[in-house]
């Protein structure tokens, strides 16, 4: 998320196979006024949150999550990736310290290697980092596999600026300069039945359509509102009722073009800001997140037009407003919860209470 607005003007499961559509949330802590980890974990429980994603692998938080029925995604920081990619010993050490020290008491289910590493590749160092992601994923996986652990999936969250085109969805394609990185990543994710994690923000696409184009995207379409004008993709004939499905399916088609048509999708971040630029207000944020939860929690699963019925693990962005984030005001107003623990607006997470499939 950090880069979404910085990059503003450049577009932008699970034990042995069983997946659930529990609602997940991103717990970032770049705020000076946030509740303690202990209070935060209690809040997650009070809210019936089924999954939490951390941008690190903080020991205190992982300890506090021990024994809780909350599945956890932990993150290898970008600046740890190249070391791990180059050295199995460092990978072993990372896994011992951050996974084995807490698992299985803490339900670690996802290890995410890096955050948006294919975004803004401008320098040779950026390119090296992007190239090191897959080797780092392999090394982490080696260590985890050697321990006989089978219910942790490993992947890397990528931002939608990896896309060259997203519209119509059937025309989705990755940027040419990252295709050589994408092919081996997809081969690996497919081979390990892991997820392709995407940070997907209909808000940003909608906002940009307002700024750039008077024939803007309909707000209701971006908010997952029912009863909108539908869009039929001329190539695939698929009917779209919302922008999120269009964006996700553009990724599905981009993968298909590279020969990988059944890599599973997960949404590592999505949400709607409640304050800031145009369209960022509590009413819209509540509508988006409640519609999102209703869609994700539906039984049987809805999926997308190109992936009907697929369960898409999703992490809402974010638990809190983070007042130490850079960028426009909007960047600091994605939270569901105020610093005092009260809701910023009403979100009915219990609509997405854990439902196990398989
Ligand atoms: C969670 O709920 C309990 C029981 O209702 C309450 O005592 C506690 O203050 C709540 N914790 C937070 C952090 O909201
Ligand atoms: C599909 O995307 C390409 C660029 O990748 C663009 O040139 C072309 O016009 C698009 N086709 C349609 C039907 O929009
Ligand atoms: C993806 O994985 C499936 C199942 O393991 C396999 O049958 C298929 O050949 C793989 N696809 C590619 C393009 O390698
Ligand atoms: C912008 O609007 C024009 C029509 O005015 C439309 O043809 C074009 O596809 C739009 N572009 C985007 C990116 O929405
Ligand atoms: C859009 O599609 C949905 C589902 O296919 C349908 O229920 C709805 O009536 C359609 N909306 C319009 C305005 O045609
Ligand atoms: C929350 O969702 C549940 C399940 O769909 C529903 O029973 C309940 O009435 C909802 N609560 C509110 C306040 O909307």
């Amino acid at each position: 998320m950090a880069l979404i607005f910085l990059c503003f003007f450049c577009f932008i499961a699970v034990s042995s196979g069983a997946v659930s559509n529990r609602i997940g949330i991103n717990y970032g802590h770049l705020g000076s006024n946030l509740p303690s980890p202990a209070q935060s974990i209690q809040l997650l429980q009070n809210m019936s949150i089924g999954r939490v994603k951390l941008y690190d692998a903080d020991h205190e938080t992982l300890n506090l999550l021990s024994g809780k029925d909350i599945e956890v995604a932990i993150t290898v920081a970008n600046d740890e990736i190249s070391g791990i990619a180059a050295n199995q010993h460092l990978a072993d050490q990372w896994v011992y310290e951050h996974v084995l020290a807490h698992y299985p008491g803490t339900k670690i289910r996802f290890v995410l290697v890096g955050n948006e590493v294919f975004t803004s590749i401008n320098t040779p160092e950026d390119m090296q980092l992007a190239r090191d992601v897959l080797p780092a994923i392999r090394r982490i996986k080696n260590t985890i596999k050697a321990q006989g652990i089978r219910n942790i999936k490993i992947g890397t969250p990528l931002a939608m600026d990896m896309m060259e085109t997203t519209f119509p969805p059937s025309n989705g394609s990755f940027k040419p300069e990252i295709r050589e990185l994408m092919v081996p990543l997809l081969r690996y994710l497919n081979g390990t039945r892991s997820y392709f994690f995407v940070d997907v923000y209909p808000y940003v696409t909608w906002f940009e359509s307002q700024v750039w184009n008077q024939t803007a995207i309909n707000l209701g379409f971006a908010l997952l509102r029912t009863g909108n004008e539908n869009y039929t993709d001329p190539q695939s004939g698929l009917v779209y009722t919302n922008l999120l499905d269009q964006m996700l399916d553009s990724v599905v088609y981009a993968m298909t073009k590279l020969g990988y048509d059944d890599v599973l999708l997960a949404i590592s971040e999505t949400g709607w800001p409640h304050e800031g630029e145009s369209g960022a207000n509590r009413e819209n944020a509540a509508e988006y997140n409640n519609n999102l939860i209703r869609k994700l929690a539906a039984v049987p699963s809805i999926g997308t037009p190109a992936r009907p019925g697929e369960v898409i693990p999703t992490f809402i962005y974010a638990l809190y407003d983070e007042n130490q984030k850079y960028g426009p005001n909007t960047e600091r107003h994605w939270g569901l919860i105020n610093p005092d623990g009260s809701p910023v607006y009403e979100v009915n997470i219990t609509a997405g209470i854990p439902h196990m499939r398989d």
Side-chain angles (χ1 to χ4, degrees):
M1 185 58 207
L3 289 164
I4 271 206
F5 279 90
L6 293 180
C7 181
F8 207 51
F9 293 102
C10 65
F11 223 71
I12 17 193
V14 165
S15 126
S16 49
V19 265
S20 72
N21 41 14
R22 297 162 168 243
I23 301 303
I25 199 158
N26 280 278
Y27 172 18
H29 44 74
L30 297 176
S32 61
N33 55 352
L34 302 183
S36 69
Q39 288 167 310
S40 301
I41 304 308
Q42 202 180 42
L43 257 165
L44 297 180
Q45 290 189 285
N46 283 11
M47 293 165 74
S48 307
I49 291 278
R51 292 189 174 122
V52 65
K53 174 168 161 276
L54 310 179
Y55 289 89
D56 53 25
D58 172 59
H59 290 295
E60 183 187 2
T61 308
L62 290 173
N63 274 332
L64 288 161
L65 284 162
S66 180
K68 306 286 193 288
D69 186 25
I70 298 177
E71 297 187 346
V72 185
I74 56 175
T75 304
V76 176
N78 286 359
D79 62 10
E80 297 173 296
I81 290 174
S82 294
I84 289 172
N87 185 337
Q88 185 63 42
H89 177 70
L90 286 181
D92 291 347
Q93 200 178 327
W94 199 93
V95 171
Y96 277 94
E97 280 179 23
H98 300 287
V99 180
L100 301 179
H102 303 284
Y103 176 96
T106 300
K107 294 183 158 185
I108 297 171
R109 292 293 178 271
F110 307 94
V111 175
L112 302 175
V113 179
N115 191 38
E116 301 186 347
V117 290
F118 290 0
T119 290
S120 326
I121 300 180
N122 297 317
T123 65
E125 289 74 26
D126 296 340
M127 187 40 105
Q128 190 58 46
L129 175 64
R131 285 188 197 290
D132 284 340
V133 165
L134 184 54
I137 290 177
R138 286 185 199 283
R139 290 199 187 278
I140 300 264
K141 173 81 178 178
N142 287 343
T143 316
I144 288 179
K145 204 172 154 191
Q147 296 293 323
I149 297 172
R150 308 174 100 81
N151 62 352
I152 297 181
K153 298 285 185 189
I154 307 173
T156 186
L158 299 176
M160 283 299 283
D161 63 0
M162 68 187 160
M163 304 298 290
E164 174 80 358
T165 49
T166 55
F167 188 83
S170 61
N171 201 29
S173 60
F174 296 118
K175 283 182 175 160
E177 62 269 29
I178 58 165
R179 276 179 215 157
E180 58 158 327
L181 297 167
M182 211 48 110
V183 172
L185 177 63
L186 292 174
R187 186 183 307 130
Y188 182 84
L189 296 175
N190 184 60
T192 57
R193 300 309 287 161
S194 186
Y195 294 92
F196 190 90
F197 287 90
V198 227
D199 293 352
V200 55
Y201 286 99
Y203 170 74
V204 175
T205 302
W206 172 84
F207 180 86
E208 288 176 347
S209 84
Q210 308 297 304
V211 174
W212 287 342
N213 211 327
Q214 293 312 306
T215 60
I217 297 168
N218 176 284
L219 179 63
F221 197 72
L223 290 172
L224 303 160
R225 195 178 285 161
T226 52
N228 284 294
E229 200 68 45
N230 293 331
Y231 172 74
T232 304
D233 186 313
Q235 197 73 33
S236 66
L238 295 175
V239 176
Y240 287 88
T241 60
N242 65 78
L243 181 56
L244 177 67
D245 281 345
Q246 285 190 178
M247 294 172 79
L248 292 171
D249 278 0
S250 73
V251 176
V252 169
Y253 280 98
M255 294 196 286
T256 301
K257 268 182 200 158
L258 298 182
Y260 293 89
D261 57 3
D262 59 1
V263 176
L264 300 168
L265 283 178
I267 300 177
S268 32
E269 293 182 4
T270 190
W272 198 281
H274 62 81
E275 192 184 315
E277 323 294 308
S278 164
N281 58 55
R282 287 176 190 207
E283 202 180 4
N284 288 345
E287 184 172 2
Y288 180 81
N289 284 318
N290 281 305
N291 288 340
L292 179 80
I293 291 165
R294 201 170 300 122
K295 173 178 162 70
L296 291 167
V299 180
S301 296
I302 297 174
T304 70
R307 293 274 182 88
E310 182 169 316
V311 177
I312 304 173
T314 298
F315 296 89
I316 294 173
Y317 187 89
L319 182 58
Y320 299 122
D321 284 357
E322 293 172 66
N323 64 13
Q324 291 166 333
K325 299 205 79 163
Y326 298 107
N329 198 23
T330 309
E331 191 72 355
R332 289 173 291 283
H333 295 97
W334 293 78
L336 302 188
I337 301 294
N338 291 308
D340 67 2
S342 64
V344 177
Y345 49 87
E346 290 305 325
V347 175
N348 187 4
I349 304 276
T350 57
I353 226 113
H355 154 73
M356 298 303 292
R357 203 185 67 161
D358 308 329

